[in-house]
């Protein structure tokens, strides 16, 4: 038996319960991991609330990413062995001291990436990789707008796009978050609680607008984000922190300058192991070289994850948060 944080019903942070669960022995293609650090992601709150786009069975252990040490491997696992330090992302059940994970989802950790850093950056960094290196290939001189630029993913995206030579404009909710965003790649910041981001983008770009908007906020921002994009630019809607985005009128996209719009989900960028290996290697390289900084601003004990959810949803967090096992 091991401790895990389980939900038996959907709802607020109080549904997260510290519980004893059975781990079992690994199947032929699985490994049993003793976890040391678990990543906290905004999508965990969608799953807890029952609004995630993939149905979540009940009861379930939440969390999708963690780092730790392999304790035991199944009979058909040859690339990993007991004692390996590993990380995985995208496998529900991560809020646990120990668990089973398909070996196909594991990555060995380089010596210079510790477990906490791996848990903080793997999901967010691989998402940032596909957003700025594959969906829209950011190049030097591009002007980009990133919403929630002082958040976990937003901050990594700001660092990464700035390192590619982009001029980064970031929205945040407070002046102190603006300062942190400017220290992490944003040349301009917009405090969205008191400034209109559409007119500020027009102002700082001399009316030229931006090549791409990275919109994780959804409902509250998507339609206005379209106002910030120059002809033939792109809107990438990749999250719904404020609710699901509204429908978009195709004719309006033509009038705004033949804009391109995509709504992305990570599963479409993580189903091919070769692509994920390449993205993970690129991410680890970016972390080791300092292009991407882990920025772990909050740490909680795993059993206090309900407080971590409260802080994340109340916009109290900055950068990444991890749960220590
Ligand atoms: N499509 C994909 O593949 C993929 C993968 C991973 C994550 N995501 C998405 O990326 C986004 C960021 O994830 P994250 O884990 O790094 O979270 P996060 O950005 O650290 O936290 C969310 C941030 O959103 C901002 N926000 C604005 N309105 C908010 C509201 N009403 N309630 C709460 N926060 C609000 C807050 O920043 P301010 O206070 O500065 O406004 C807050 O810090 C999420 O939408 C997530 O679903 C998408």
């Amino acid at each position: 038996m091991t401790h895990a944080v389980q939900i038996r019903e959907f709802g607020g942070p109080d549904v997260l319960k510290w519980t004893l669960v059975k781990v079992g022995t690994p199947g032929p293609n699985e490994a049993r991991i003793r976890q040391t650090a678990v990543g906290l992601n905004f999508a965990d709150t969608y799953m807890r609330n029952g609004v995630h786009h993939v149905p979540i069975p009940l009861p379930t252990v939440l969390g999708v990413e963690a780092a730790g040490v392999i304790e035991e491997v199944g009979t058909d696992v040859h690339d990993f062995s007991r004692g390996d330090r590993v990380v995985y992302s995208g496998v529900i059940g991560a809020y646990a001291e120990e668990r089973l994970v398909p070996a196909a989802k594991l990555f060995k950790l380089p010596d210079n990436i510790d477990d906490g850093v791996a848990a903080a950056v793997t999901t967010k960094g691989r998402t940032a990789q596909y957003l700025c290196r594959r969906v829209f290939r950011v190049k030097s001189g591009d002007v980009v707008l990133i919403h929630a630029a002082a958040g976990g993913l937003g901050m990594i995206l700001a660092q990464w796009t700035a390192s590619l030579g982009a001029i980064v404009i970031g929205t945040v909710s407070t002046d102190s978050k603006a300062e942190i965003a400017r220290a992490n790649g944003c040349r301009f910041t917009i405090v969205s609680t008191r400034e209109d981001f559409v007119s500020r983008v027009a102002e700082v770009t001399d009316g030229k607008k931006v090549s791409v908007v990275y919109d994780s906020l959804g409902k509250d921002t998507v339609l206005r984000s379209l106002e910030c994009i120059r002809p033939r630019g792109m809107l990438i809607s990749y999250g719904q922190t404020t609710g699901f985005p509204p429908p978009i009128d195709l004719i309006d996209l033509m009038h705004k300058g033949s804009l391109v719009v995509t709504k992305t989900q990570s599963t479409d960028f993580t189903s091919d192991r070769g692509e994920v290996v390449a993205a993970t290697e690129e991410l680890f390289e970016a972390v080791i070289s300092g292009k991407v900084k882990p920025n772990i601003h909050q740490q909680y004990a795993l059993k206090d994850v309900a407080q971590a959810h409260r802080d994340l949803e109340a916009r109290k967090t900055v950068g990444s948060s991890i749960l220590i096992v």
Side-chain angles (χ1 to χ4, degrees), residues 40-44 46 53 123-124 127-128 130-131 147-155 171-174 177 192-193 215-218 220 237-243 263-267 269 311-321:
L40 181 73
N41 290 286
F42 206 88
D44 301 352
Y46 308 150
H53 59 281
T123 299
K124 298 170 189 73
T127 305
Y130 86 67
L131 292 172
H147 288 297
L153 212 160
M155 196 183 286
T171 71
V172 292
S173 61
T174 65
K177 285 189 177 185
S192 55
T193 44
D215 191 319
S216 60
L217 299 181
D220 286 1
S237 167
Y238 69 96
Q240 39 275 339
T241 306
T242 66
K263 174 85 184 83
T264 67
Q265 58 178 348
S266 58
T267 42
F269 298 85
D311 292 349
L312 188 60
E313 289 176 297
R315 305 166 80 163
K316 286 185 181 161
T317 63
V318 174
S320 297
S321 307

Side-chain angles (χ1 to χ4, degrees), residues 119-134:
V121 302
T122 301
T123 299
K124 298 170 189 73
R126 281 206 310 227
T127 305
Q129 193 275 348
Y130 86 67
L131 292 172
C132 73
R133 304 278 294 134
R134 291 192 274 164

Side-chain angles (χ1 to χ4, degrees), residues 145-167:
L145 174 65
I146 299 173
H147 288 297
L153 212 160
M155 196 183 286
I156 292 177
L157 196 52
Q159 293 166 345
W160 205 322
T161 51
S163 78
L164 293 167
I167 296 158

Side-chain angles (χ1 to χ4, degrees), residues 12 20 33 45 57 64 75 98 104 110 121 123 127 138 162 195 215 219 240 252 259 274 276 285:
L20 273 175
I33 317 291
T45 71
V64 296
T75 48
E98 283 200 20
V121 302
T123 299
T127 305
V138 172
E195 294 180 293
D215 191 319
K219 185 170 166 223
Q240 39 275 339
D252 188 43
L259 303 187
V276 185
E285 235 174 75

